[in-house]
Amino acid sequence: MKKEGFGAVVVAAGSSQRMGGTGSKVFADLLGKPVLRWCLEALDRSGWAAEIALVCRPEDLEQAKAAAQGLSTPCVFTAGGATRQESVQKGVLALQPDWGYLLIHDGARPFVTEEIIDNVCADALRYGAATAAVPSKDTCKLGDPEGFVASTPPRERLSAVQTPQAFQRGMYEYAARRAQKEGLDCTDDCQLIEWAGGQVKLSQGSYRNIKLTTPEDLVTARALGREGQKEEISMRTGYGYDVHRLAPDRELILGGVRVPFEQGLLGHSDADVLTHAVCDALLGAAALGDIGRLFPDTDPRYEGADSLGLLKEVCGVLRCHGYEIGNIDATLIAQRPKIAPYVPQMRENLAAACGLTLSQVSVKATTEEGLGFTGAGEGMAAAAVCCIDRASPA
Ligand code: MG
C-alpha cells in the first residue's frame, strides 16, 4: 500500500489543568525526551505523514520546535484555539492543501506505534474515516443528571476510542464546517463525521496507547516506556537453511570462494548455498521474509548473481530496519570436496559482505557420513543461525 498523502495534525495545545502543574504535560520528561517527541518519532517512522502540523500554545512554541528537531517529515507550527476542535481546525489550515487525507493525533499519547498508525491509515483509505479503538474492558453505565444509572449498554459493543484518527480530507472539512454552523462542539474528531452522517471504522488500537491526563499517568507512562525500551534492545535470533543440487559444468561457489571440484551447484544465481543460508538466517531474525522474496528467481537481474552482493543488500535492509548483527554461525553439509582449506577465506568474504569482524562469523563444514542426498553427492545443504540486535542510538 502506498504510504503517502496524509497531512498529520498533532494537538499539543491543552492547558494541562488536570496535570496539576503550570507547564504543558506534552513537554514533561518521559525517559529522557519530552512526551511529545515520542509520538512525533512514531509518525516520522511510520512513513504515512507527508507533513506534520504541530498545534501548541503560543508560549510553548520554542519547546515544540525543539521537540520536532531532526525529524525527516516537514513540520509546521501553529497556535491552538479555545477548544480542541478549534485547535484541530487551525492545524488543518496550517497544512498544505495537497494532502488528500488527514491524520489527527493527541500529543499526549506517546505510545502510539507504527502498527496502530498503519491500521488507522489503511482503514481511512478504505472507508474514508477511521479511529484507533480498543474494546472496553469495563462495563460502562450511562448516568442520568441526578447521578443514577440510566442504562447499561452491552459491553461487547463498547469501545474506548483513542487517536490517531484519520479522515478523507474533503469529508472531514465538510463535517467540520457543518458542525461549526450548527454550533456543535466535540471532544473527538470522529464525532464530526458521525454528526454529518458518515461512517467511522473502528481500527485496532492498543491498551498501551494511553493518554497522559493526570500526574499518575506520567508514572504509568514511565513504566510502560521502560518496558518498551527493554523490548527494543532484546536480541533476536534467526535460522536459515538451503539446499542446491550438484550438476556438471557449473562452478562451485561456497561462501564466495571458487572451490575446485568436478561439479557445481545448480541455481538461478551463483547458487552459493552457504551464503543463501546466511541471508535467510538474517532475514528470519528480523522477520523480513527470505531471499526468495527479496530476490525472486523470476527476476533476470539476479541471474548468475554474486550471492555475496545479495548478502550485502540483505545487511542493508536490516540496517534500514534499525538492526545490527551480533554474530553468524553457518554450517555447510557436503560429502565432497574437502572444505577445511577454504573456510578462512569464506569467513573473510562473509564478514566483509556484512561489515563484521572475523570473530563475528563462524563457518563449519560437515559430511553426513555418506547418508542421504548430500552423502550420495546429489547436492549440498547449508544451515546458519545468527543473532541481531536493535542498533544502539548514535
Ligand atoms: Mg538458494
Side-chain angles (χ1 to χ4, degrees):
M1 188 173 297
K2 217 171 171 195
K3 287 188 174 184
E4 57 182 53
F6 281 77
V9 175
V10 174
V11 196
S15 62
S16 304
Q17 281 159 347
R18 281 181 288 177
M19 262 300 173
T22 48
S24 176
K25 64 195 168 193
V26 296
F27 301 108
D29 176 76
L30 178 55
L31 305 176
K33 52 190 178 193
V35 168
L36 178 62
R37 176 79 188 176
W38 289 67
C39 74
L40 293 177
E41 286 180 358
L43 278 172
D44 201 39
R45 278 196 308 265
S46 78
W48 284 100
E51 186 186 17
I52 298 174
L54 198 50
V55 188
C56 61
R57 302 186 302 181
E59 62 266 41
D60 292 333
L61 187 64
E62 288 313 307
Q63 285 194 87
K65 282 184 177 167
Q69 222 167 33
L71 297 179
S72 54
T73 313
C75 290
V76 288
F77 303 85
T78 185
T83 62
R84 180 195 155 83
Q85 203 174 313
E86 260 185 63
S87 291
V88 175
Q89 307 295 322
K90 291 181 103 176
V92 172
L93 280 174
L95 288 167
Q96 288 185 49
D98 315 24
W99 325 125
Y101 285 82
L102 299 171
L103 180 73
I104 298 164
H105 186 64
D106 295 325
R109 287 190 195 270
F111 300 123
V112 63
T113 59
E114 288 160 73
E115 200 181 338
I116 299 173
I117 298 168
D118 279 352
N119 295 340
V120 173
C121 290
D123 281 342
L125 287 179
R126 193 155 170 211
Y127 302 104
T131 178
V134 285
S136 176
K137 287 186 191 176
D138 296 315
T139 295
C140 293
K141 304 285 182 189
L142 198 67
D144 69 12
E146 282 77 46
F148 293 94
V149 172
S151 65
T152 307
R155 195 183 60 185
E156 60 282 5
R157 291 187 54 191
L158 287 176
S159 289
V161 297
Q162 310 177 328
T163 65
Q165 303 187 341
F167 310 96
Q168 196 270 323
R169 190 170 185 160
M171 177 195 281
Y172 178 85
E173 287 174 344
Y174 164 75
R177 269 197 307 275
R178 200 180 140 140
Q180 206 170 16
K181 220 189 283 170
E182 294 178 22
L184 301 169
D185 187 45
C186 52
T187 50
D188 152 62
D189 303 289
C190 292
Q191 244 176 309
L192 293 173
I193 307 293
E194 295 162 48
W195 274 333
Q199 269 197 320
V200 182
K201 176 73 176 156
L202 294 168
S203 310
Q204 180 74 58
S206 155
Y207 290 108
R208 292 173 57 111
N209 183 24
I210 60 166
K211 185 173 182 180
L212 309 193
T213 307
T214 62
E216 299 81 70
D217 293 338
L218 203 50
V219 177
T220 310
R222 289 196 176 111
L224 281 171
R226 258 183 234 114
E227 207 180 284
Q229 283 179 334
K230 257 186 245 156
E231 275 167 27
E232 268 194 21
I233 56 166
S234 71
M235 284 252 185
R236 301 171 65 112
T237 59
Y239 172 74
Y241 178 74
D242 195 27
V243 170
H244 281 261
R245 189 183 286 278
L246 278 163
D249 305 320
R250 288 274 297 181
E251 266 191 306
L252 178 60
I253 296 167
L254 297 168
V257 179
R258 288 191 154 64
V259 177
F261 192 50
E262 70 259 19
Q263 298 186 88
L265 294 170
L266 205 56
H268 183 67
S269 66
D270 64 7
D272 184 340
V273 68
L274 185 70
T275 304
H276 292 182
V278 170
C279 289
D280 272 354
L282 292 169
L283 289 169
L288 289 170
D290 58 29
I291 45 170
R293 198 172 96 187
L294 215 58
F295 313 111
D297 61 11
T298 49
D299 189 330
R301 272 180 302 169
Y302 304 120
E303 195 176 328
D306 167 15
S307 295
L308 287 179
L310 303 184
L311 176 59
K312 254 186 220 165
E313 281 193 46
V314 164
C315 293
V317 169
L318 257 69
R319 268 193 296 277
C320 283
H321 280 79
Y323 292 111
E324 58 188 25
I325 302 164
N327 75 304
I328 295 167
D329 180 20
T331 302
L332 179 77
I333 303 149
Q335 193 65 34
R336 281 191 326 121
K338 269 222 154 321
I339 300 299
Y342 309 103
V343 163
Q345 188 60 51
M346 290 176 190
R347 285 178 67 198
E348 262 181 53
N349 291 349
L350 294 172
C354 300
L356 299 175
T357 62
L358 267 188
S359 69
Q360 289 171 287
V361 180
S362 152
V363 172
K364 316 189 292 307
T366 182
T367 72
E368 288 186 304
E369 304 282 349
L371 296 168
F373 69 85
T374 68
E378 293 168 38
M380 291 184 180
V385 291
C386 70
C387 252
I388 63 170
D389 203 346
R390 278 275 167 206
S392 37

